[in-house]
Amino acid sequence: MVKRSPNAVLAGYAILLLTLTVSAQEISGASARHSQKLPAIVVTGARVERSILAVPASVDPLEQSEIQDGRPLVNLSESLARIPGVVVQNRQNYAQDLQISSRGFGARATFGVRGIRLIVDDIPATAPDGQGQAATISLGSIERIEVLRGPFSAIYGNASGGVIQAFTESGPPQPTLTARVLAGGFQTRREEIKMAGESGGVNYMGDWSRFRSDGYRDHSLVARDHGNWKLRYRPSDKSKVTIVANYLRQPDTEDPLGLTRNQVDSDPRQADSSAVTFNTRKSIENAQAGVVYEHGFSEADTLRVLGYTGSRRVLQFLALTRGAQIPVTSSGGVVDLDRGFRGMGLRWTHKTNGVTPLTMIAGVDYDHSKERRKGYENFVGDALGVVGQLRRDEDDTVQSFDQYLQGEWQVSQSWLVSAGVRNSEVRFDSRDFFLAPGNPDDSGGLRYRHVNPVIGLLYKVTPTLSLYANYGRGFETPTFAELAYRPDGLSGLNIDLIPSNSSSVEMGVKRLTDAGASLKWALFSTRTKNEIVPATNAGGRATFQNASRTSRSGMELSVDIGLPYDLNAYAAFTYLDTKFKEGFSYRASAASALTIVAANATVPGVARNAGYAELGWRNTLQGFSAAVEVNYRDKFFVNDANSEAASSYATINARATYKRNLNGWDMEGFVRIDNIADKKYIGSIIVNESNGRYYEPAPGRNGMVGVSVSHAF
């Protein structure tokens, strides 16, 4: 077998790109009448609306039809699979959030979203320490999602991998009531009611949904109530006020835990026995609200001010062994978290006109989060899975204060320069109220500061073809969970743990035609210092350390082509090589030997090759549409030592939709079948799980049907 080098592989992809460019031009020219659409407008890293062709970065929009048509509207994984460079692992476990990675960043997260900023309607869904929650995004009322990858994501702050922004829809001109119902396998049900419209100069949208499922695996029951509201009005011709609110409630969501390889081979639908023994589960209640005020002083100057506040309540029951062997340092098997958060932002935009227009943006962001965190034993006598003796009691506060300056200069009709710099300061403070012999005071505080510059250059070869390159530096702080304890066993925060710093470079090509065909290609490379990795897992405490250097290099390619006979083809492919450039060691559990991670080991959770393809058909006159989807993912390692891996897989899904207006009522029905070939595969993993329960199996063949009815009054 001939071993191909990464350079040879990338050269082959470049040749493929040139071939596809010619093909796209020929096919789109022959089928213009079948797929007329304008180039999408996106909100870029420079925070100004631009065509994709005028953005010197990798950014892709998902329109409402791509988010909602023929989909259950439960998880971001349903639509983000279309975006090259982004991998969303659906754990089939609603007690844990989705695992989202962008160009390899975030793949190591065991809970929540790391390394990627989440923003909804300008309000951050990521905490100041860098951990976000994707479940708060209500897909039934989302109009557009934009995904930014690469260096320009650093301009948004504490994130290295990318930015995912979601935008709630506005109400239509007439008051409109919409109802949706979904039913599927594993007793899955979803109901939604939405009222939206405009009256007396006030635009409004209110959406409420309930999702329930028994889950693919045993001990996976979930019930989720989700509300999303948006109100917009104009106090004057030059000002606009937008008020948004969101509510999420998930009581007693069962957690089946991960499985070992032997358990997966025996029965992938089972829950680990400890999940049943301790009745592992999680309850979540999240409420937040925000207001955004915009005022145009002139055509050149605009001010935007935002503020938000919210609360998050979590009660989680884990599976920890009871008995005398529990060390005094253990925080227990029950997590009780009560968090309050708030923030504000101020942004000034100045635009000049003329032959070489210039846009300047200056702003500040302040975010604050304070939580009361308690830990309890998960047993009382012989009763398991209940709140027992107190083991942890502390106040944790984290706040960030950032200032940024961005500029975009149209040097000529062909050349555009975009640059920015962001100064970030993140403060951590912990006050420990649980003191006992052998468990001293762990109170402490830390402060991190970092300056991140970015610059991009774009050359418009023709009105439909652009070339670009960019460079930037980013950083990612530890979360409070990673700072909580020291590897050396001493009391206090892990003061030796520092943020990881990255330097990224990217170059790419974008091609859009008048017929709507598109081709986007990007090469990228990121070098990271001080990657945050495990250090120990002993005495009921997981600790972390900094590895020396890692690298993430690869390529993204996406092609969207209109074909004859109302057909459309879309494909996205990612090649990603992620390595620990220097070795390190850690102890996976108290009883395990020291684990050695060799230099050039692959970063776990990241597949070298990943792809998505879709062939769709749409008959606008008759209201029918259908599509076949193919998802592919190469094998990916489950731990830093690369001793085990989840196998590669390819799945095929199909969906069909019918829309019709009947006497003023807009009706839509769809049917969907996922994993048509009934493929057995691992949908997600728990990286470095200390008991070897790395694997979270995905469902076999399963289907669903949905109906929606909408009426304008």
Side-chain angles (χ1 to χ4, degrees), residues 89 261 633-638 644-649 681-685 694-695:
Q89 297 188 120
R261 171 59 69 183
R633 195 175 184 200
D634 210 346
K635 79 169 187 178
F636 48 103
F637 291 104
V638 299
E644 290 190 40
S647 301
S648 62
Y649 65 85
Y681 69 100
I682 302 299
S684 180
I685 62 169
Y694 304 115
Y695 305 100

Side-chain angles (χ1 to χ4, degrees), residues 111-147:
F111 54 88
V113 179
R114 289 289 315 277
I116 303 170
R117 297 289 292 180
L118 302 177
I119 303 172
V120 183
D121 298 320
D122 288 324
I123 307 298
T126 297
D129 65 351
Q131 183 170 307
Q133 308 294 331
T136 59
I137 300 176
S138 179
L139 294 176
S141 52
I142 293 297
E143 182 179 61
R144 190 173 80 259
I145 296 174
E146 294 167 4
V147 184

Side-chain angles (χ1 to χ4, degrees), residues 264-282:
V264 172
D265 293 341
S266 173
D267 179 11
R269 297 194 64 173
Q270 68 177 301
D272 185 77
S273 59
S274 61
V276 179
T277 300
F278 288 93
N279 189 20
T280 51
R281 62 198 187 275
K282 186 176 184 179

Side-chain angles (χ1 to χ4, degrees), residues 243-255:
I243 301 172
V244 293
N246 185 281
Y247 177 76
L248 172 71
R249 179 176 179 268
Q250 276 187 213
D252 292 325
T253 303
E254 294 178 338
D255 186 350

Side-chain angles (χ1 to χ4, degrees), residues 382-515:
D382 293 330
L384 306 180
V386 296
V387 177
Q389 183 179 339
L390 182 68
R391 287 293 192 132
R392 184 177 185 179
D393 187 5
E394 64 194 44
D395 277 347
D396 294 333
T397 303
V398 57
Q399 55 186 334
S400 63
F401 181 56
D402 294 12
Q403 311 87 43
Y404 59 89
L405 180 66
Q406 298 168 240
E408 183 181 275
W409 183 27
Q410 188 77 49
V411 181
S412 67
Q413 289 188 348
S414 299
W415 290 95
L416 180 141
V417 178
S418 183
V421 62
R422 187 178 184 108
N423 176 57
S424 297
E425 180 177 307
V426 185
R427 292 176 177 265
F428 294 84
D429 183 75
S430 181
R431 292 292 174 261
D432 189 359
F433 303 109
F434 184 75
L435 308 179
N439 185 27
D441 190 350
D442 289 315
S443 299
L446 289 169
R447 183 182 70 170
Y448 301 122
R449 294 187 63 182
H450 209 267
V451 177
N452 299 313
V454 295
I455 186 168
L457 182 66
L458 182 138
Y459 176 63
K460 185 169 287 190
V461 182
T462 70
T464 62
L465 176 65
S466 294
L467 310 178
Y468 71 92
N470 56 55
Y471 167 82
R473 286 165 40 192
F475 84 119
E476 186 176 342
T477 68
T479 66
F480 243 125
E482 294 163 342
L483 286 170
Y485 305 117
R486 295 166 56 104
D488 56 16
L490 298 178
S491 62
L493 296 180
N494 189 357
I495 59 175
D496 295 327
L497 195 62
I498 61 177
S500 59
N501 301 316
S502 62
S503 297
S504 301
V505 63
E506 175 185 12
M507 59 179 293
V509 179
K510 301 179 183 182
R511 172 75 188 277
L512 296 178
T513 72
D514 294 337

